[in-house]
Short mmCIF file of all heavy atoms in Angstrom, two decimals:
data_model
loop_
_atom_site.label_atom_id
_atom_site.label_comp_id
_atom_site.label_asym_id
_atom_site.label_seq_id
_atom_site.Cartn_x
_atom_site.Cartn_y
_atom_site.Cartn_z
N MET S 1 28.78 -27.83 38.33
CA MET S 1 28.15 -27.96 37.04
C MET S 1 28.91 -27.08 36.04
O MET S 1 29.09 -25.88 36.30
CB MET S 1 26.68 -27.53 37.15
CG MET S 1 25.92 -27.57 35.86
SD MET S 1 24.17 -27.17 36.17
CE MET S 1 23.48 -27.68 34.62
N PRO S 2 29.33 -27.65 34.92
CA PRO S 2 30.05 -26.84 33.94
C PRO S 2 29.24 -25.61 33.53
O PRO S 2 28.06 -25.70 33.25
CB PRO S 2 30.22 -27.79 32.76
CG PRO S 2 30.19 -29.16 33.37
CD PRO S 2 29.21 -29.05 34.52
N GLY S 3 29.89 -24.46 33.56
CA GLY S 3 29.22 -23.22 33.18
C GLY S 3 28.51 -22.55 34.34
O GLY S 3 28.11 -21.38 34.25
N HIS S 4 28.32 -23.28 35.44
CA HIS S 4 27.66 -22.73 36.63
C HIS S 4 28.41 -23.23 37.87
O HIS S 4 27.92 -24.10 38.59
CB HIS S 4 26.19 -23.20 36.70
CG HIS S 4 25.35 -22.76 35.55
ND1 HIS S 4 24.73 -21.55 35.50
CD2 HIS S 4 25.05 -23.39 34.39
CE1 HIS S 4 24.06 -21.43 34.36
NE2 HIS S 4 24.24 -22.55 33.67
N PRO S 5 29.60 -22.69 38.12
CA PRO S 5 30.42 -23.21 39.22
C PRO S 5 29.77 -23.09 40.59
O PRO S 5 30.08 -23.86 41.49
CB PRO S 5 31.71 -22.37 39.14
CG PRO S 5 31.39 -21.21 38.28
CD PRO S 5 30.27 -21.62 37.39
N GLN S 6 28.83 -22.15 40.77
CA GLN S 6 28.14 -22.00 42.05
C GLN S 6 26.76 -22.66 42.01
O GLN S 6 25.95 -22.47 42.93
CB GLN S 6 27.97 -20.51 42.39
CG GLN S 6 29.25 -19.71 42.36
CD GLN S 6 30.31 -20.26 43.33
OE1 GLN S 6 29.98 -20.63 44.45
NE2 GLN S 6 31.54 -20.34 42.89
N GLY S 7 26.47 -23.41 40.96
CA GLY S 7 25.15 -23.99 40.79
C GLY S 7 24.31 -23.08 39.91
O GLY S 7 24.52 -21.87 39.88
N LYS S 8 23.34 -23.65 39.19
CA LYS S 8 22.50 -22.84 38.31
C LYS S 8 21.33 -22.28 39.10
O LYS S 8 20.52 -23.02 39.63
CB LYS S 8 21.96 -23.70 37.14
CG LYS S 8 21.26 -22.84 36.08
CD LYS S 8 20.55 -23.69 35.07
CE LYS S 8 19.20 -24.14 35.52
NZ LYS S 8 18.29 -23.05 35.96
N PRO S 9 21.24 -20.94 39.18
CA PRO S 9 20.11 -20.34 39.89
C PRO S 9 18.78 -20.66 39.20
O PRO S 9 18.73 -20.80 37.97
CB PRO S 9 20.40 -18.83 39.83
CG PRO S 9 21.85 -18.72 39.53
CD PRO S 9 22.17 -19.92 38.69
N ALA S 10 17.72 -20.77 39.99
CA ALA S 10 16.39 -20.97 39.43
C ALA S 10 16.06 -19.83 38.48
O ALA S 10 16.47 -18.68 38.70
CB ALA S 10 15.36 -21.06 40.55
N ASP S 11 15.33 -20.13 37.43
CA ASP S 11 14.89 -19.16 36.43
C ASP S 11 16.02 -18.60 35.57
O ASP S 11 15.82 -17.64 34.85
CB ASP S 11 14.12 -17.99 37.06
CG ASP S 11 12.80 -18.45 37.64
OD1 ASP S 11 12.27 -19.46 37.15
OD2 ASP S 11 12.33 -17.81 38.59
N GLU S 12 17.21 -19.18 35.66
CA GLU S 12 18.32 -18.74 34.80
C GLU S 12 18.58 -19.83 33.78
O GLU S 12 18.64 -21.01 34.11
CB GLU S 12 19.57 -18.50 35.64
CG GLU S 12 20.73 -17.92 34.85
CD GLU S 12 21.89 -17.56 35.76
OE1 GLU S 12 21.70 -16.67 36.60
OE2 GLU S 12 22.97 -18.18 35.64
N ARG S 13 18.70 -19.41 32.51
CA ARG S 13 18.94 -20.37 31.44
C ARG S 13 20.30 -21.05 31.64
O ARG S 13 21.29 -20.39 31.95
CB ARG S 13 18.90 -19.64 30.10
CG ARG S 13 19.08 -20.51 28.88
CD ARG S 13 19.01 -19.65 27.62
NE ARG S 13 19.40 -20.37 26.44
CZ ARG S 13 18.59 -21.13 25.71
NH1 ARG S 13 17.33 -21.25 26.06
NH2 ARG S 13 19.03 -21.77 24.65
N CYS S 14 20.35 -22.35 31.45
CA CYS S 14 21.60 -23.10 31.58
C CYS S 14 22.55 -22.66 30.46
O CYS S 14 22.16 -22.60 29.29
CB CYS S 14 21.33 -24.60 31.49
SG CYS S 14 22.84 -25.58 31.67
N THR S 15 23.79 -22.38 30.81
CA THR S 15 24.76 -21.94 29.81
C THR S 15 25.13 -23.07 28.85
O THR S 15 25.74 -22.82 27.82
CB THR S 15 26.05 -21.42 30.48
OG1 THR S 15 26.61 -22.47 31.26
CG2 THR S 15 25.77 -20.21 31.34
N ASN S 16 24.76 -24.29 29.18
CA ASN S 16 25.06 -25.44 28.32
C ASN S 16 23.96 -25.70 27.30
O ASN S 16 24.08 -26.61 26.48
CB ASN S 16 25.29 -26.69 29.18
CG ASN S 16 26.43 -26.49 30.14
OD1 ASN S 16 27.54 -26.17 29.74
ND2 ASN S 16 26.15 -26.62 31.43
N LEU S 17 22.89 -24.92 27.36
CA LEU S 17 21.77 -25.07 26.43
C LEU S 17 22.06 -24.25 25.18
O LEU S 17 22.30 -23.05 25.26
CB LEU S 17 20.48 -24.61 27.10
CG LEU S 17 19.15 -24.95 26.44
CD1 LEU S 17 18.99 -26.46 26.30
CD2 LEU S 17 18.01 -24.37 27.25
N THR S 18 22.04 -24.90 24.02
CA THR S 18 22.38 -24.21 22.77
C THR S 18 21.16 -23.42 22.26
O THR S 18 20.05 -23.57 22.78
CB THR S 18 22.80 -25.23 21.70
OG1 THR S 18 21.70 -26.08 21.41
CG2 THR S 18 24.00 -26.05 22.15
N ASP S 19 21.38 -22.61 21.25
CA ASP S 19 20.29 -21.80 20.70
C ASP S 19 19.17 -22.65 20.13
O ASP S 19 18.02 -22.20 20.06
CB ASP S 19 20.82 -20.86 19.61
CG ASP S 19 21.69 -19.74 20.18
OD1 ASP S 19 21.61 -19.49 21.41
OD2 ASP S 19 22.45 -19.14 19.40
N ASP S 20 19.49 -23.88 19.71
CA ASP S 20 18.44 -24.76 19.20
C ASP S 20 17.97 -25.76 20.26
O ASP S 20 17.48 -26.84 19.96
CB ASP S 20 18.87 -25.46 17.91
CG ASP S 20 20.10 -26.34 18.10
OD1 ASP S 20 20.74 -26.27 19.16
OD2 ASP S 20 20.41 -27.11 17.17
N GLN S 21 18.11 -25.34 21.52
CA GLN S 21 17.55 -26.06 22.69
C GLN S 21 18.15 -27.45 22.88
O GLN S 21 17.45 -28.38 23.29
CB GLN S 21 16.01 -26.17 22.59
CG GLN S 21 15.31 -24.89 22.23
CD GLN S 21 15.27 -23.89 23.37
OE1 GLN S 21 16.10 -23.92 24.26
NE2 GLN S 21 14.30 -23.01 23.33
N ARG S 22 19.41 -27.60 22.60
CA ARG S 22 20.08 -28.88 22.83
C ARG S 22 21.15 -28.70 23.90
O ARG S 22 21.69 -27.61 24.09
CB ARG S 22 20.74 -29.39 21.54
CG ARG S 22 19.71 -29.72 20.47
CD ARG S 22 20.37 -30.09 19.17
NE ARG S 22 19.40 -30.25 18.11
CZ ARG S 22 18.83 -31.42 17.81
NH1 ARG S 22 19.16 -32.50 18.46
NH2 ARG S 22 17.93 -31.49 16.86
N CYS S 23 21.44 -29.81 24.59
CA CYS S 23 22.47 -29.77 25.65
C CYS S 23 23.82 -30.04 25.01
O CYS S 23 24.04 -31.10 24.43
CB CYS S 23 22.16 -30.83 26.71
SG CYS S 23 23.45 -30.92 27.98
N ARG S 24 24.74 -29.08 25.15
CA ARG S 24 26.06 -29.27 24.55
C ARG S 24 26.89 -30.29 25.33
O ARG S 24 27.96 -30.69 24.87
CB ARG S 24 26.81 -27.95 24.36
CG ARG S 24 27.18 -27.21 25.60
CD ARG S 24 28.06 -25.99 25.31
NE ARG S 24 27.58 -25.18 24.23
CZ ARG S 24 26.80 -24.10 24.37
NH1 ARG S 24 26.45 -23.72 25.59
NH2 ARG S 24 26.40 -23.41 23.35
N LEU S 25 26.43 -30.70 26.51
CA LEU S 25 27.14 -31.71 27.29
C LEU S 25 26.61 -33.12 27.05
O LEU S 25 27.13 -34.08 27.60
CB LEU S 25 27.02 -31.39 28.79
CG LEU S 25 27.59 -30.05 29.26
CD1 LEU S 25 27.39 -29.91 30.76
CD2 LEU S 25 29.06 -29.93 28.89
N TRP S 26 25.58 -33.24 26.21
CA TRP S 26 24.95 -34.55 25.95
C TRP S 26 26.02 -35.55 25.49
O TRP S 26 26.79 -35.27 24.59
CB TRP S 26 23.87 -34.39 24.87
CG TRP S 26 23.14 -35.66 24.61
CD1 TRP S 26 23.46 -36.62 23.70
CD2 TRP S 26 21.97 -36.12 25.28
NE1 TRP S 26 22.56 -37.65 23.75
CE2 TRP S 26 21.64 -37.38 24.72
CE3 TRP S 26 21.17 -35.59 26.30
CZ2 TRP S 26 20.54 -38.10 25.15
CZ3 TRP S 26 20.09 -36.32 26.73
CH2 TRP S 26 19.78 -37.55 26.15
N GLY S 27 26.06 -36.69 26.16
CA GLY S 27 27.00 -37.73 25.79
C GLY S 27 28.39 -37.57 26.38
O GLY S 27 29.26 -38.40 26.15
N HIS S 28 28.59 -36.49 27.15
CA HIS S 28 29.90 -36.24 27.76
C HIS S 28 29.82 -36.54 29.26
O HIS S 28 28.77 -36.36 29.89
CB HIS S 28 30.33 -34.79 27.56
CG HIS S 28 30.55 -34.42 26.12
ND1 HIS S 28 31.75 -34.58 25.49
CD2 HIS S 28 29.69 -33.93 25.19
CE1 HIS S 28 31.65 -34.20 24.23
NE2 HIS S 28 30.40 -33.79 24.01
N VAL S 29 30.96 -36.95 29.83
CA VAL S 29 30.98 -37.29 31.26
C VAL S 29 30.71 -36.07 32.13
O VAL S 29 30.32 -36.21 33.29
CB VAL S 29 32.31 -37.96 31.67
CG1 VAL S 29 32.49 -39.28 30.95
CG2 VAL S 29 33.50 -37.04 31.38
N GLU S 30 30.91 -34.86 31.58
CA GLU S 30 30.69 -33.63 32.36
C GLU S 30 29.22 -33.36 32.59
O GLU S 30 28.86 -32.54 33.44
CB GLU S 30 31.31 -32.42 31.65
CG GLU S 30 32.82 -32.45 31.56
CD GLU S 30 33.33 -33.27 30.37
OE1 GLU S 30 32.50 -33.73 29.56
OE2 GLU S 30 34.54 -33.46 30.28
N ARG S 31 28.35 -34.02 31.84
CA ARG S 31 26.91 -33.78 32.03
C ARG S 31 26.50 -34.28 33.41
O ARG S 31 26.72 -35.44 33.75
CB ARG S 31 26.09 -34.48 30.95
CG ARG S 31 24.62 -34.09 31.00
CD ARG S 31 23.89 -34.67 29.80
NE ARG S 31 22.51 -34.26 29.78
CZ ARG S 31 21.48 -35.11 29.77
NH1 ARG S 31 21.69 -36.41 29.73
NH2 ARG S 31 20.25 -34.67 29.78
N PRO S 32 25.91 -33.38 34.21
CA PRO S 32 25.56 -33.78 35.59
C PRO S 32 24.60 -34.97 35.63
O PRO S 32 23.70 -35.08 34.79
CB PRO S 32 24.88 -32.52 36.15
CG PRO S 32 25.41 -31.39 35.33
CD PRO S 32 25.59 -31.98 33.95
N ALA S 33 24.78 -35.81 36.63
CA ALA S 33 23.94 -36.99 36.79
C ALA S 33 22.48 -36.59 36.99
O ALA S 33 21.56 -37.27 36.52
CB ALA S 33 24.43 -37.84 37.95
N PHE S 34 22.25 -35.45 37.68
CA PHE S 34 20.85 -35.05 37.91
C PHE S 34 20.17 -34.64 36.61
O PHE S 34 18.95 -34.75 36.50
CB PHE S 34 20.74 -33.96 38.97
CG PHE S 34 21.56 -32.73 38.73
CD1 PHE S 34 21.12 -31.76 37.85
CD2 PHE S 34 22.75 -32.54 39.39
CE1 PHE S 34 21.87 -30.61 37.62
CE2 PHE S 34 23.51 -31.40 39.17
CZ PHE S 34 23.08 -30.44 38.28
N CYS S 35 20.93 -34.20 35.62
CA CYS S 35 20.32 -33.90 34.31
C CYS S 35 19.91 -35.21 33.63
O CYS S 35 18.80 -35.31 33.11
CB CYS S 35 21.30 -33.14 33.43
SG CYS S 35 21.68 -31.49 34.03
N ALA S 36 20.79 -36.18 33.66
CA ALA S 36 20.48 -37.47 33.03
C ALA S 36 19.35 -38.17 33.75
O ALA S 36 18.58 -38.93 33.15
CB ALA S 36 21.72 -38.36 33.02
N GLY S 37 19.19 -37.90 35.06
CA GLY S 37 18.15 -38.55 35.83
C GLY S 37 16.77 -37.98 35.62
O GLY S 37 15.77 -38.61 35.96
N LEU S 38 16.68 -36.79 35.04
CA LEU S 38 15.37 -36.19 34.79
C LEU S 38 14.84 -36.72 33.46
O LEU S 38 15.25 -36.27 32.39
CB LEU S 38 15.48 -34.66 34.75
CG LEU S 38 14.17 -33.89 34.55
CD1 LEU S 38 13.22 -34.13 35.71
CD2 LEU S 38 14.45 -32.40 34.40
N GLN S 39 13.98 -37.68 33.53
CA GLN S 39 13.46 -38.33 32.34
C GLN S 39 12.16 -37.67 31.88
O GLN S 39 11.35 -37.24 32.70
CB GLN S 39 13.20 -39.81 32.63
CG GLN S 39 14.47 -40.59 32.95
CD GLN S 39 15.41 -40.65 31.76
OE1 GLN S 39 15.04 -41.11 30.69
NE2 GLN S 39 16.62 -40.16 31.95
N PRO S 40 11.96 -37.57 30.56
CA PRO S 40 10.74 -36.94 30.06
C PRO S 40 9.50 -37.76 30.43
O PRO S 40 9.56 -38.97 30.57
CB PRO S 40 10.94 -36.92 28.54
CG PRO S 40 11.96 -37.97 28.27
CD PRO S 40 12.82 -38.05 29.49
N SER S 41 8.40 -37.05 30.62
CA SER S 41 7.14 -37.70 30.93
C SER S 41 6.01 -36.85 30.34
O SER S 41 6.20 -35.67 30.05
CB SER S 41 6.96 -37.83 32.44
OG SER S 41 6.83 -36.54 33.02
N ASP S 42 4.84 -37.45 30.19
CA ASP S 42 3.68 -36.69 29.70
C ASP S 42 3.38 -35.53 30.64
O ASP S 42 3.04 -34.43 30.20
CB ASP S 42 2.46 -37.59 29.58
CG ASP S 42 2.57 -38.56 28.42
OD1 ASP S 42 3.41 -38.31 27.52
OD2 ASP S 42 1.83 -39.55 28.41
N GLU S 43 3.49 -35.78 31.95
CA GLU S 43 3.22 -34.75 32.94
C GLU S 43 4.14 -33.55 32.76
O GLU S 43 3.71 -32.40 32.84
CB GLU S 43 3.38 -35.32 34.35
CG GLU S 43 3.13 -34.32 35.45
CD GLU S 43 3.43 -34.90 36.83
OE1 GLU S 43 4.07 -35.97 36.91
OE2 GLU S 43 3.04 -34.27 37.82
N MET S 44 5.42 -33.80 32.52
CA MET S 44 6.39 -32.72 32.39
C MET S 44 6.31 -32.06 31.01
O MET S 44 6.29 -30.82 30.93
CB MET S 44 7.81 -33.25 32.60
CG MET S 44 8.89 -32.20 32.39
SD MET S 44 10.53 -32.73 32.89
CE MET S 44 10.86 -34.03 31.70
N CYS S 45 6.25 -32.84 29.97
CA CYS S 45 6.34 -32.28 28.61
C CYS S 45 5.02 -31.69 28.12
O CYS S 45 5.03 -30.70 27.37
CB CYS S 45 6.80 -33.37 27.64
SG CYS S 45 8.45 -34.00 28.06
N GLY S 46 3.89 -32.28 28.51
CA GLY S 46 2.60 -31.77 28.05
C GLY S 46 2.48 -31.81 26.54
O GLY S 46 3.10 -32.65 25.87
N GLN S 47 1.73 -30.84 26.00
CA GLN S 47 1.49 -30.81 24.56
C GLN S 47 2.35 -29.79 23.84
O GLN S 47 2.40 -29.78 22.60
CB GLN S 47 0.01 -30.49 24.29
CG GLN S 47 -0.94 -31.55 24.80
CD GLN S 47 -0.70 -32.90 24.14
OE1 GLN S 47 -0.61 -32.99 22.92
NE2 GLN S 47 -0.59 -33.96 24.94
N ASP S 48 3.02 -28.90 24.58
CA ASP S 48 3.82 -27.89 23.90
C ASP S 48 4.93 -27.36 24.81
O ASP S 48 5.00 -27.70 26.00
CB ASP S 48 2.93 -26.73 23.42
CG ASP S 48 2.10 -26.13 24.54
OD1 ASP S 48 2.53 -26.13 25.71
OD2 ASP S 48 0.99 -25.65 24.23
N GLU S 49 5.79 -26.54 24.23
CA GLU S 49 6.93 -26.01 24.96
C GLU S 49 6.50 -25.15 26.15
O GLU S 49 7.12 -25.19 27.22
CB GLU S 49 7.81 -25.18 24.01
CG GLU S 49 9.07 -24.63 24.67
CD GLU S 49 9.94 -23.85 23.70
OE1 GLU S 49 9.80 -24.03 22.47
OE2 GLU S 49 10.76 -23.05 24.18
N ALA S 50 5.42 -24.39 25.98
CA ALA S 50 4.97 -23.52 27.07
C ALA S 50 4.63 -24.33 28.31
O ALA S 50 4.96 -23.94 29.45
CB ALA S 50 3.77 -22.70 26.63
N HIS S 51 3.98 -25.48 28.12
CA HIS S 51 3.65 -26.35 29.26
C HIS S 51 4.94 -26.83 29.93
O HIS S 51 5.06 -26.78 31.15
CB HIS S 51 2.82 -27.54 28.80
CG HIS S 51 2.59 -28.54 29.89
ND1 HIS S 51 1.45 -28.56 30.65
CD2 HIS S 51 3.39 -29.54 30.38
CE1 HIS S 51 1.54 -29.52 31.55
NE2 HIS S 51 2.71 -30.13 31.41
N ALA S 52 5.90 -27.30 29.13
CA ALA S 52 7.14 -27.85 29.68
C ALA S 52 7.92 -26.77 30.45
O ALA S 52 8.43 -27.04 31.54
CB ALA S 52 7.99 -28.43 28.56
N ILE S 53 8.00 -25.57 29.89
CA ILE S 53 8.72 -24.49 30.58
C ILE S 53 8.03 -24.14 31.89
O ILE S 53 8.69 -23.95 32.92
CB ILE S 53 8.83 -23.25 29.67
CG1 ILE S 53 9.69 -23.55 28.44
CG2 ILE S 53 9.38 -22.05 30.44
CD1 ILE S 53 11.13 -23.92 28.74
N ALA S 54 6.71 -24.09 31.90
CA ALA S 54 5.97 -23.78 33.12
C ALA S 54 6.20 -24.87 34.16
O ALA S 54 6.41 -24.58 35.35
CB ALA S 54 4.48 -23.62 32.82
N TRP S 55 6.18 -26.12 33.74
CA TRP S 55 6.38 -27.25 34.66
C TRP S 55 7.78 -27.20 35.25
O TRP S 55 7.97 -27.35 36.46
CB TRP S 55 6.14 -28.57 33.91
CG TRP S 55 5.94 -29.75 34.79
CD1 TRP S 55 4.75 -30.26 35.21
CD2 TRP S 55 6.97 -30.59 35.34
NE1 TRP S 55 4.98 -31.37 36.00
CE2 TRP S 55 6.33 -31.60 36.10
CE3 TRP S 55 8.35 -30.59 35.26
CZ2 TRP S 55 7.04 -32.58 36.76
CZ3 TRP S 55 9.07 -31.57 35.94
CH2 TRP S 55 8.40 -32.54 36.68
N LEU S 56 8.78 -26.98 34.41
CA LEU S 56 10.16 -26.94 34.89
C LEU S 56 10.40 -25.73 35.79
O LEU S 56 11.13 -25.82 36.79
CB LEU S 56 11.13 -26.92 33.71
CG LEU S 56 11.23 -28.25 32.95
CD1 LEU S 56 11.97 -28.06 31.63
CD2 LEU S 56 11.90 -29.32 33.79
N SER S 57 9.78 -24.60 35.48
CA SER S 57 9.92 -23.41 36.33
C SER S 57 9.33 -23.67 37.71
O SER S 57 9.91 -23.28 38.73
CB SER S 57 9.22 -22.21 35.68
OG SER S 57 9.87 -21.86 34.48
N ALA S 58 8.18 -24.35 37.75
CA ALA S 58 7.57 -24.69 39.04
C ALA S 58 8.47 -25.64 39.82
O ALA S 58 8.62 -25.50 41.05
CB ALA S 58 6.19 -25.30 38.81
N LEU S 59 9.08 -26.58 39.13
CA LEU S 59 9.99 -27.52 39.80
C LEU S 59 11.21 -26.77 40.36
O LEU S 59 11.63 -27.02 41.50
CB LEU S 59 10.44 -28.60 38.80
CG LEU S 59 11.40 -29.67 39.33
CD1 LEU S 59 10.72 -30.50 40.42
CD2 LEU S 59 11.87 -30.57 38.21
N GLU S 60 11.74 -25.83 39.59
CA GLU S 60 12.89 -25.06 40.07
C GLU S 60 12.50 -24.24 41.31
O GLU S 60 13.28 -24.16 42.27
CB GLU S 60 13.40 -24.12 38.98
CG GLU S 60 14.22 -24.81 37.92
CD GLU S 60 15.04 -23.85 37.08
OE1 GLU S 60 14.62 -22.70 36.90
OE2 GLU S 60 16.10 -24.27 36.61
N GLN S 61 11.32 -23.63 41.29
CA GLN S 61 10.89 -22.84 42.44
C GLN S 61 10.70 -23.73 43.67
O GLN S 61 11.04 -23.34 44.79
CB GLN S 61 9.59 -22.11 42.12
CG GLN S 61 9.77 -20.99 41.10
CD GLN S 61 10.77 -19.93 41.53
OE1 GLN S 61 10.80 -19.54 42.69
NE2 GLN S 61 11.60 -19.48 40.60
N ALA S 62 10.17 -24.92 43.46
CA ALA S 62 9.89 -25.82 44.57
C ALA S 62 11.15 -26.41 45.18
O ALA S 62 11.15 -26.85 46.33
CB ALA S 62 8.98 -26.95 44.10
N THR S 63 12.26 -26.39 44.44
CA THR S 63 13.49 -27.03 44.94
C THR S 63 14.61 -26.03 45.19
O THR S 63 15.72 -26.45 45.50
CB THR S 63 13.97 -28.10 43.91
OG1 THR S 63 14.21 -27.48 42.65
CG2 THR S 63 12.94 -29.20 43.77
N ARG S 64 14.31 -24.73 45.10
CA ARG S 64 15.37 -23.76 45.34
C ARG S 64 15.71 -23.72 46.83
O ARG S 64 14.86 -23.97 47.68
CB ARG S 64 14.99 -22.38 44.82
CG ARG S 64 13.92 -21.68 45.58
CD ARG S 64 13.47 -20.39 44.93
NE ARG S 64 14.57 -19.59 44.46
CZ ARG S 64 14.45 -18.59 43.58
NH1 ARG S 64 13.29 -18.27 43.10
NH2 ARG S 64 15.50 -17.92 43.20
N PRO S 65 16.98 -23.42 47.16
CA PRO S 65 17.39 -23.41 48.57
C PRO S 65 16.70 -22.31 49.37
O PRO S 65 16.24 -21.35 48.86
CB PRO S 65 18.90 -23.18 48.51
CG PRO S 65 19.25 -22.89 47.11
CD PRO S 65 18.05 -23.13 46.25
S1 SF4 U 101 20.69 -31.18 30.47
FE1 SF4 U 101 21.61 -30.13 32.23
S2 SF4 U 101 23.57 -29.33 31.48
FE2 SF4 U 101 22.34 -29.86 29.71
S3 SF4 U 101 21.33 -27.96 29.14
FE3 SF4 U 101 19.92 -29.07 30.48
S4 SF4 U 101 20.34 -28.29 32.54
FE4 SF4 U 101 22.06 -27.72 31.22
#
């Protein structure tokens, strides 16, 4: 993964995430397929950013090696 040659550790901000919360790899072939495969949903996004961050943090914890 660009910016994370050993993989992105859980709970660590992706180096490809810009200050305004955008993916700098969007639209580029370097963007990992697993990023493109994670599609937004009501369950994940909820009503606010706090819900989404909590949901994604739980997902990272559940899938860490
Ligand atoms: S979509 Fe993937 S590469 Fe882009 S900021 Fe999010 S985790 Fe990083």
